[in-house]
Amino acid sequence: MSTFEQTEQQHALTAPLRTTRPGSGGEHLVQQRMGTAERADRFYAEQVLDRLNPRMREFVARQEMFFLATADGHGECDNTFRAGPPGFVHVLDDTTLAYPEYRGNGVHASLGNIEENPHVGVLMVDFLRDRIGLHVNGRAGIVADEDMRRAHSGLTVDPVPGRRALVWVVITVEEAYIHCAKHIPHLQRVPARGSGRSWGTDDAKRKGGDFFGAAADAPERGPFLPPPRASAATWRAEAERVLARAARRDSGADAEAAGARTQDAPDAGAPDFSGWFSRTGSA
C-alpha cells in the first residue's frame, strides 16, 4: 500500500461520518435514473458545505447583486434580483447572512413568501472578475431595520439618496456550494449613462415604463375580483399571533434595557406599548 493510500485510509478512519446526504429525494432519484449518483456523491463530498468558509465569506462581501428564489406555503415559486453597493450583503458570521430590502413596487412577493415559507435559495454570480458563482440555501427571517441596527451596531447607513433599508432579511446558511464557471459569460463594466439610477422613484418612465407592453392591454383583462373576507376567527387568530410576537420581543428588550433606564430620566406617565390591537374593550 502506498503512502498516499495509507494516508487516505487513516483519514477515512478518523474523519467524522456525515449521516445526511445533501440534496432532495427527487434529485437522488433522478441521479439513479440518469446514472450520475457517483458523480453527485463526489460533488457533495468535496463542494457542499453547511457554512461559509473564509473564501466564500470574502466572495460574498464584495458582491453587488444576487438572485433570490422563494416559494409560498403552497410551493408556488418566485425568483427575483437584488442589488446594492459592494458589501450590501453582510456576512454576520459563517452561518448567517443579511441583506436590506429597499423600497420597491410595493408587492413584496419575496417577503410574503418568506412569511409563509422560510426556505430560500440565493445565487451570487461574479460575471466581471472571477467568473464563478456561489449557491447559498437556507432559512430566512424578516427583521425590522431598527432591531437589526440595535443588534449589529456596525451596519452602515446607505449613502445613496432614496435608498434606505425598510427591513432586513437574515438567512441562516444550510448549504453553500460552487456554481461552476463553464457557462458563465465574462462581462465588462461600461461607463454610466445619464444621471444614474433613480432609487425610490415612482416615476413609471424612470423605472422602465411599459417596456414589455403589459400595461397597454390592462383594461382588456378587467378588474380583479374582491378577495374573500377573512372570518372573525381567522382575523382574531392573526391578531393574537402578532401580539404574542410583539410581547416576546418586548420582554427580551426590557431585560436588555433595564440598566440603561436606571441612568436615564424615566418618561413619567407613559404607558407601555402593547401593540396596535387590544384584547379588551369595545370594537
Side-chain angles (χ1 to χ4, degrees):
M1 181 181 294
S2 68
T3 304
F4 175 79
E5 290 172 329
Q6 291 175 353
T7 303
E8 286 294 297
Q9 187 179 66
Q10 182 63 30
H11 177 73
L13 293 173
T14 58
L17 292 175
R18 290 182 283 185
T19 57
T20 302
R21 190 169 183 253
S24 67
E27 69 185 66
H28 299 161
L29 180 63
V30 173
Q31 290 162 13
Q32 294 294 331
R33 186 183 304 152
M34 304 290 286
T36 64
E38 183 177 349
R39 200 151 41 113
D41 277 339
R42 188 161 58 251
F43 181 84
Y44 291 152
E46 295 178 355
Q47 295 296 332
V48 180
L49 307 182
D50 62 354
R51 62 192 61 243
L52 301 170
N53 67 16
R55 295 187 71 172
M56 290 175 175
R57 296 198 295 271
E58 185 276 329
F59 181 85
V60 171
R62 59 181 171 81
Q63 297 310 301
E64 300 179 56
M65 60 184 176
F66 67 87
F67 302 93
L68 175 69
T70 60
D72 66 14
H74 303 287
E76 299 292 337
C77 298
D78 181 77
N79 188 270
T80 191
F81 173 80
R82 292 289 181 268
F88 84 107
V89 182
H90 293 259
V91 183
L92 302 182
D93 56 51
D94 62 355
T95 60
T96 315
L97 298 178
Y99 72 88
E101 279 283 348
Y102 301 127
R103 186 177 185 274
N105 57 16
V107 174
H108 300 306
S110 299
L111 295 181
N113 285 348
I114 291 169
E115 282 285 342
E116 295 186 25
N117 175 4
H119 296 281
V120 298
V122 170
L123 173 59
M124 302 180 188
V125 182
D126 182 349
F127 296 98
L128 302 174
R129 193 178 92 177
D130 296 319
R131 203 167 56 84
I132 204 74
L134 175 66
H135 291 268
V136 177
N137 298 328
R139 290 172 177 263
I142 302 169
V143 180
D145 182 59
E146 58 271 21
D147 293 340
M148 192 70 182
R149 295 186 184 280
R150 189 181 303 118
H152 304 279
S153 57
L155 295 178
T156 58
V157 176
D158 198 312
V160 177
R163 192 170 63 190
R164 293 290 180 270
L166 300 180
V167 295
W168 291 75
V169 175
V170 178
I171 300 173
T172 300
V173 178
E174 295 179 339
E175 291 182 340
Y177 55 92
I178 192 172
H179 186 99
C180 74
K182 186 164 55 174
H183 299 298
I184 296 177
H186 197 175
L187 307 183
Q188 293 181 338
R189 290 186 182 277
V190 297
R193 293 182 298 176
S195 58
R197 298 178 180 89
S198 303
W199 294 99
T201 183
D202 281 325
D203 185 292
K205 184 175 181 179
R206 296 172 76 185
K207 289 166 63 176
D210 189 24
F211 185 86
F212 293 104
D217 58 358
E220 300 175 13
R221 297 194 290 271
F224 289 108
L225 292 174
R229 285 183 172 272
S231 66
T234 301
W235 186 91
R236 181 177 294 277
E238 176 64 14
E240 293 289 338
R241 186 181 70 83
V242 171
L243 284 169
R245 187 166 60 186
R248 288 195 300 271
R249 185 177 65 182
D250 289 346
S251 63
D254 288 345
E256 181 181 344
R261 286 177 180 165
T262 60
Q263 299 175 13
D264 299 333
D267 189 2
D272 291 337
F273 176 71
S274 59
W276 290 277
F277 305 102
S278 174
R279 293 185 174 90
T280 60
S282 59

